[in-house]
Amino acid sequence: MPPSRPPPPPLALTLEKRVFDLLNAEILGLRLGPGEHIVTEAVAEALGVSRLPVREALRSLAGRGLIDMHAHRGAFIPRLGPEDLDRIVETVEARARLEPWAAERAAEHHDADQLAKLDRTLEQGFDALARGARPDANRAHREFLRVLTLMSGHATLIEVLEPLQYRTMLAFVSIVMTAEPEGWASHRVVRDAVADRDGAAASAEMGRHLAEVLDALRRPGNVVPSAMDRAAGRKGGRRPASHRIKALRLAEQDAADGGPPSPPARPAPGP
């Protein structure tokens, strides 16, 4: 008798994940920008679903640091502009404590498949830089950090670091540093140390790079609003829901491995 197949997941869970994946791709692809109001009813109407899976998807996004939930006001994509520099610095400070440990553990616990994935993110990042495709470089950078953190094999560390990394990425949509540390060369050094299973070297390089980022953030006058943030011209860091929400379709959702198509060029999120 052939082995029985596990029952399919409940329809509600499948739908919630599809809504989550779609909104996740829209936010990380910067098609739904920082400060934007995500209206549950508008998303549900656009997707042709009930409000329940949208609410659950938004709660999951909030857990990853991609959505701020406010009682009586709804869900907003976090916006951290130059006026929030102290919060941005605190977020990177927390990463600077945790990511070196993640790199050390990645060197000690990774397998060949994970290292191959890390190599692909480096190739994609350097290729995007050579082409001047900054949105593609942004996604490769985010994927590099995600894969490296997963390689640590430490569930709690992964759970804590992921929202910090996403928050930093969103912050660097609203700000730029006029003098910014070069990150990809450092990431290659981290990769090589991980491949050599040299945890101390991987940790030291990750810590050195993030210390440079913190120094650049703290340098007087070095942090300015991005072109995207200046163009928005919004008050109080809040934007109304965009027409993009009304145009959402579940059919636009991309496979998790492939990621969304490249959005128009925008300022590159930082390290």
Side-chain angles (χ1 to χ4, degrees), residues 128-183:
L129 288 178
R131 293 184 286 109
R134 303 193 75 176
D136 291 344
N138 298 343
R139 278 194 295 277
H141 179 261
R142 184 177 67 247
E143 186 67 3
F144 177 88
L145 292 178
R146 187 187 74 86
V147 173
L148 184 70
T149 304
L150 288 175
M151 291 167 76
S152 73
H154 195 290
T156 301
L157 180 59
I158 294 166
E159 181 182 354
V160 172
L161 255 179
E162 187 176 54
L164 297 174
Q165 291 166 343
Y166 283 139
R167 288 278 179 149
T168 308
M169 185 275 296
L170 288 173
F172 276 86
V173 176
S174 295
I175 67 168
V176 293
M177 291 185 288
T178 53
E180 186 175 40
E182 201 286 317

Side-chain angles (χ1 to χ4, degrees), residues 43-126:
V43 174
E45 181 179 355
L47 300 182
V49 300
S50 71
R51 288 177 289 181
L52 181 59
V54 178
R55 288 197 194 102
E56 293 304 316
L58 290 175
R59 289 193 183 98
S60 297
L61 289 166
R64 298 178 73 176
L66 286 176
I67 290 288
D68 281 338
M69 304 291 288
H70 297 280
H72 311 300
R73 288 195 293 157
F76 293 85
I77 301 175
R79 176 187 175 273
L80 295 174
E83 68 277 11
D84 303 300
L85 185 56
D86 287 346
R87 287 184 62 196
I88 297 171
V89 167
E90 287 181 357
T91 301
V92 179
E93 283 176 335
R95 284 180 53 197
R97 292 285 185 176
L98 295 172
E99 277 181 10
W101 183 32
E104 179 182 359
R105 286 188 56 91
E108 298 167 352
H109 297 281
H110 75 272
D111 58 36
D113 288 342
Q114 290 174 323
L115 185 61
K117 290 179 180 178
L118 197 68
D119 286 342
R120 283 196 294 273
T121 67
L122 275 176
E123 293 171 4
Q124 292 164 359
F126 279 107

